[in-house]
Amino acid sequence: MEKQPLERYAAPARPSLIGLSREQLAAALGDVGVPERQRRMRVQQIWQWLYVRGSRDFEAMTTLSKDLRAALAGRFTLERPEVAAEQVSVDGTRKWLIRLPGELQNSPHEVECVYIPDTDRGTLCISSQVGCTLNCTFCHTGTQRLVRNLTAGEIAGQVVLARDRLEDWQRATPAVGEPEKRLVSNIVMMGMGEPLYNFEAVRDGINVIADGEGLSISKRRITLSTSGVVPNIARAGAEIGSMLAVSLHAVTDELRNELVPLNRKYPLRELLDACRNYPGLSNARRITFEYVMLKGVNDSLADAKALLRLLKGIPAKINLIPFNPWPGTKYECSDWDQIEKFSEIIFDAGYASPVRTPRGRDILAACGQLKSATEKLSARERLALRAMAMTD
Ligand code: SAH
Ligand code: SF4
């Protein structure tokens, strides 16, 4: 059921410092001869340049001696993942096609990263793997092999490159008064791949992203989406502590076995137990349950009611995701009226948050299909969708 990666990450001769942990950065400084007693301070300085100011050049790091800058430049780079293409939509959404090196020279891979601005936040949807270990039948990525895992550097690097592209770094002379607001304020790990099957890199990448003296996006604003890798949900609770989204999509094991074949290994009961035990849950800290709306498959009103019964007692948000079709799929998106009726049942059960912060477009960023999905929706549909997909 789970595919093995075809390739491993092959580090270049001059590796990038982007995305290293503080410990790894200290070791890198050791490699260029920085004495141990100085490393902490130097890490602190470089961390600021990398993750507060977004420096792309060692020369800019004026708090370091010229010699140290030259030594670092001789051994390392500040390269971010390469942007192969950029699409900007009318509503400000930006999608970047990111090229990552393959194990063999001249056979790079591609993943997507999407920025979705909203009134009160800017959400970046990032990828964790090239391809996916799993085979969810409605997911285009599921039809692909798992090519390789992203490194922690490539995971955090997506945030760095988004800040580059959006000019979202702190300026040399920040404005006085109110602290500057960053455009990228939230992260969802809902791009390509199953993050809980690339556990260490995802954990380490998130730790870089959440570091309060650097990129500074708190774990409360980072959501990791999983198809339900039960043992790693507990591990994520203990070792990562981000917010959790679970791709539920069905209310019976029979149907979920078909849609999310991993369910055969970790059935609904075990999955929901793992959710109940996720640390720190409260009304202010809920698990998001994602539910893709598939016409005639999982979208009956009886399904909506069963969904409510299933989630009873778990502090939950529910995100209904209109299915985004791809060439060759056997599924269709539910009719709009059906999605509305389904969502009404969910609202009436009290899942609507009193503060209706619009979100919604970001859920369409799922598996990098944002653009085609938003283009297909009418203005009315988009509004309804935004009202429907709420967050705290
Ligand atoms: N592998 C993780 C995260 C990436 S997928 C997971 O499965 O949760 C992010 C979300 O997009 C998941 O909820 C997934 O089920 C959903 N998704 C995948 N393909 C989709 C499609 N064609 N239309 C709508 N949502 C889709
Ligand atoms: Fe993988 Fe998620 Fe797609 Fe399933 S939905 S195949 S877990 S990316």
Side-chain angles (χ1 to χ4, degrees), residues 295-312:
K295 186 175 184 167
V297 175
N298 65 355
D299 65 348
S300 75
L301 303 187
D303 286 319
K305 288 174 192 149
L307 178 61
L308 295 173
R309 281 197 297 276
L310 208 58
L311 299 185
K312 216 169 176 167

Side-chain angles (χ1 to χ4, degrees), residues 95 112 114 116 125 138-141 188-192 225 247 249 290 292 321-324 326 360-373:
K95 185 160 92 172
E112 280 177 356
V114 187
I116 309 109
C125 173
F138 57 89
C139 173
H140 191 232
T141 309
V188 290
M189 218 171 247
M190 294 185 185
M192 206 183 226
S225 175
S247 297
H249 307 320
E290 298 159 276
V292 64
I321 312 178
F323 171 61
N324 192 22
W326 36 275
R361 280 171 293 175
D362 61 337
I363 59 178
L364 296 171
C367 293
Q369 298 178 337
L370 179 115
K371 193 160 178 288
S372 48

